[in-house]
Amino acid sequence: MDEKKVKDLTAYNERFNEDPTSFNDFQASDYVKELKNQGKEDQAIEVGRTFLEQCPELSGYINYYGYALYNRYINIDDEKIAENEKLFYDIIAEIASHCRQERYSPLEAAINKAIKYESKKNPVDYKKLSDLLDNLDAPTLEDTPFVNKEGKEFESKKEKWYRMKVRALYEIGNYSECLKQAQIATGLPLKWHYNNLNWVQYYKASALVKLGRYEEAENIFIALKDKFRAVNFQEILYDLYLHTGRENIAYTQLFYEFFRDGFNYVFIDCYKKITELAKEKGEEKAYKLGSAMIKKLEEEKEKSYEVDVDVSEYDAYSASYLYDLFYNEIMRHLNRYIERHEGRVVYYNAAKRFGSIGLPTEEDNLFFLQGDYIYDDQEVDRGDTVEYSVIKTFDKKKQTPSSKAVLIRTIY
């Protein structure tokens, strides 16, 4: 098969040199297109700029002109961009000012290249990222997921826009607009990928905190807590409760995490908080045990930890053994730290290891899991009188905030 014949542009070149205004829309479009297709980007750019200046009535050539700019200045290696960022962003602005978001337009490709380049920076300039995203009209972006040649599915253009825009708005402190865009995003019938929707919800809740809408934020954080591991929601909720004057809820959440986490250096911040709380409450034995354990843990990591109490009596013990002593001391005296309640087990399913505790009001009974008993070897029977604390949780079945009993122990 013969190669496609390259179009002779001599006539167009001579006509352009004589009088650019003599071109009609088709001729201008054909001329710039052919220059671009033949790899003559510089000439295509020169011709396009001349048409812009002298022939404002022409428009068919605009996207070919934009692609010539894209090929020459935008679709290049990051190292080349870094050599002259000002020129790169000037060309981005030029493309954005002339090309519309439509089929065969270079606008999306140019903006996406700039977004990709900017996103690789450390730190990311979220103001610039937000401004770049503003060049695209989100509602008209493609919402069909991208599928590569291997059949693997990725986020759609619209999903990507909302994921990035919500975070950028939060990072630059525009919390009201962040909330607005997050609400739009979560209301769209998009097919979400990876943890994108969770991230949108996270920044939505974080913006709600900044706007002082704490209860709404709390409910979102709780809903995300057990299904999104990329964020330490225990820390977030703990700080939120303290910030809003709900110390008992904060401390209950803290002790419940202490109960669930077990012994591991990664939870040392939790141990430190509880140890400091023991000091505040005047629980000398718990404070000494916690201090000794933390000191041992830090020493095992070749780190130093200064304590303001004599813990030499525990020098012979390992960190894990001290943890057991500390844990038992804390759990025996939970009532000195957090609010405790008494109730009776009114229902228990031994096969599924869950039940409910009767409440004195007409509300629903309080749900519990046997795994939330302080001593998991305790047998559970209907009619048992138990001591427990309450934390907020999320009912996945009803998709609403709820509560459950935790840190349970049988009294009789």
Side-chain angles (χ1 to χ4, degrees):
M1 183 179 292
D2 294 336
E3 291 185 7
K4 187 176 180 180
K5 188 175 180 180
V6 176
K7 187 169 184 175
D8 185 357
L9 299 177
T10 302
Y12 277 154
N13 290 336
E14 291 176 354
R15 186 173 181 178
F16 179 79
N17 290 331
E18 290 176 5
D19 183 12
T21 63
S22 66
F23 281 76
N24 63 30
D25 204 49
F26 171 79
Q27 293 164 344
S29 177
D30 189 49
Y31 187 25
V32 177
K33 178 181 73 172
E34 285 298 326
L35 287 170
K36 180 190 73 69
N37 289 346
Q38 293 179 25
K40 299 175 181 178
E41 274 90 9
D42 289 342
Q43 189 178 350
I45 292 168
E46 179 189 353
V47 170
R49 284 176 174 161
T50 302
F51 285 150
L52 278 171
E53 181 181 343
Q54 299 186 26
C55 312
E57 75 281 2
L58 303 181
S59 61
Y61 70 92
I62 290 292
N63 283 338
Y64 298 119
Y65 163 63
Y67 263 115
L69 289 169
Y70 174 80
N71 292 338
R72 179 70 175 82
Y73 297 106
I74 306 302
N75 193 26
I76 57 178
D77 293 338
D78 289 353
E79 293 76 14
K80 288 281 187 181
I81 296 173
E83 290 173 6
N84 195 342
E85 272 195 13
K86 184 180 184 306
L87 175 62
F88 174 78
Y89 282 109
D90 284 347
I91 299 298
I92 288 288
E94 187 172 356
I95 292 173
S97 67
H98 298 303
C99 299
R100 294 184 296 175
Q101 187 175 308
E102 59 187 2
R103 194 177 183 186
Y104 305 124
S105 167
L107 179 63
E108 284 190 44
I111 297 302
N112 285 332
K113 175 67 176 181
I115 288 171
K116 188 175 181 180
Y117 172 74
E118 202 61 41
S119 298
K120 291 178 182 178
K121 291 185 177 180
N122 188 17
V124 173
D125 185 340
Y126 284 101
K127 177 63 170 67
K128 182 171 284 187
L129 196 59
S130 181
D131 290 344
L132 285 168
L133 289 163
D134 285 340
N135 287 290
L136 300 176
D137 180 45
T140 60
L141 287 171
E142 178 63 55
D143 60 6
T144 302
F146 171 73
V147 180
N148 66 11
K149 293 179 180 179
E150 289 73 37
K152 187 174 181 180
E153 189 173 284
F154 297 88
E155 63 185 354
S156 65
K157 294 177 180 179
K158 185 178 290 187
E159 179 186 355
K160 179 181 178 181
W161 190 92
Y162 279 105
R163 169 178 64 82
M164 300 188 79
K165 185 64 176 177
V166 168
R167 177 171 186 180
L169 289 167
Y170 178 80
E171 297 289 357
I172 63 177
N174 192 345
Y175 305 121
S176 294
E177 187 63 21
C178 172
L179 178 59
K180 176 184 174 182
Q181 294 300 333
Q183 288 172 327
I184 292 172
T186 54
L188 292 173
L190 289 174
K191 183 178 181 182
W192 293 92
H193 297 76
Y194 321 114
N195 275 315
N196 287 352
L197 181 57
N198 288 333
W199 279 116
V200 169
Q201 292 279 33
Y202 166 73
Y203 286 111
K204 175 183 177 180
S206 298
L208 284 166
V209 171
K210 296 294 186 180
L211 294 169
R213 295 163 62 174
Y214 302 117
E215 186 175 353
E216 294 171 76
E218 176 189 358
N219 288 336
I220 295 173
F221 286 141
I222 289 172
L224 290 172
K225 187 171 179 288
D226 291 328
K227 66 178 181 180
F228 187 35
R229 304 296 182 182
V231 176
N232 186 347
F233 288 103
Q234 155 59 21
E235 189 71 26
I236 290 171
L237 286 166
Y238 180 78
D239 291 341
L240 176 61
Y241 292 140
L242 287 182
H243 179 72
T244 53
R246 293 177 287 173
E247 287 84 0
N248 177 67
I249 299 176
Y251 297 151
T252 301
Q253 188 77 35
L254 177 66
F255 282 100
Y256 181 54
E257 292 301 320
F258 172 63
F259 158 75
R260 290 209 314 176
D261 290 340
F263 177 70
N264 194 309
Y265 181 81
V266 299
F267 305 124
I268 195 166
D269 286 341
C270 177
Y271 306 155
K272 288 179 179 179
K273 286 187 179 75
I274 290 177
T275 300
E276 284 302 310
L277 189 56
K279 182 179 181 181
E280 290 177 21
K281 299 290 185 180
E283 296 296 317
E284 184 179 350
K285 184 176 180 181
Y287 178 60
K288 290 180 70 174
L289 284 167
S291 298
M293 174 191 65
I294 294 167
K295 185 173 184 290
K296 288 278 186 178
L297 275 170
E298 295 288 24
E299 287 174 352
E300 289 173 5
K301 297 292 181 178
E302 297 183 352
K303 298 179 181 180
S304 61
Y305 181 74
E306 297 296 326
V307 297
D308 58 1
V309 62
D310 183 10
V311 294
S312 57
E313 62 186 290
Y314 302 114
D315 285 349
Y317 301 129
S318 67
S320 61
Y321 182 75
L322 289 171
Y323 168 82
D324 290 337
L325 296 178
F326 180 58
Y327 176 88
N328 289 327
E329 179 66 20
I330 292 295
M331 292 302 163
R332 276 198 297 266
H333 303 294
L334 277 173
N335 62 305
R336 299 177 185 176
Y337 301 93
I338 57 178
E339 189 174 351
R340 302 288 280 163
H341 309 275
E342 244 184 60
R344 188 170 62 87
V345 175
V346 294
Y347 170 76
Y348 180 64
N349 186 320
K352 296 184 178 180
R353 296 170 60 84
F354 68 77
S356 56
I357 297 170
L359 297 176
T361 66
E362 295 181 359
E363 299 176 28
D364 291 339
N365 294 329
L366 191 62
F367 176 80
F368 73 84
L369 294 168
Q370 185 173 350
D372 286 331
Y373 269 68
I374 293 173
Y375 304 106
D376 57 11
D377 58 346
Q378 276 191 329
E379 291 185 5
V380 182
D381 290 310
R382 184 175 177 180
D384 285 351
T385 298
V386 294
E387 182 184 80
Y388 63 91
S389 295
V390 179
I391 65 165
K392 284 193 172 184
T393 185
F394 188 77
D395 189 324
K396 294 179 182 177
K397 186 175 181 180
K398 297 180 180 179
Q399 288 295 297
T400 57
S402 184
S403 299
K404 72 172 183 175
V406 296
L407 300 170
I408 310 162
R409 71 179 184 90
T410 301
I411 300 175
Y412 54 85

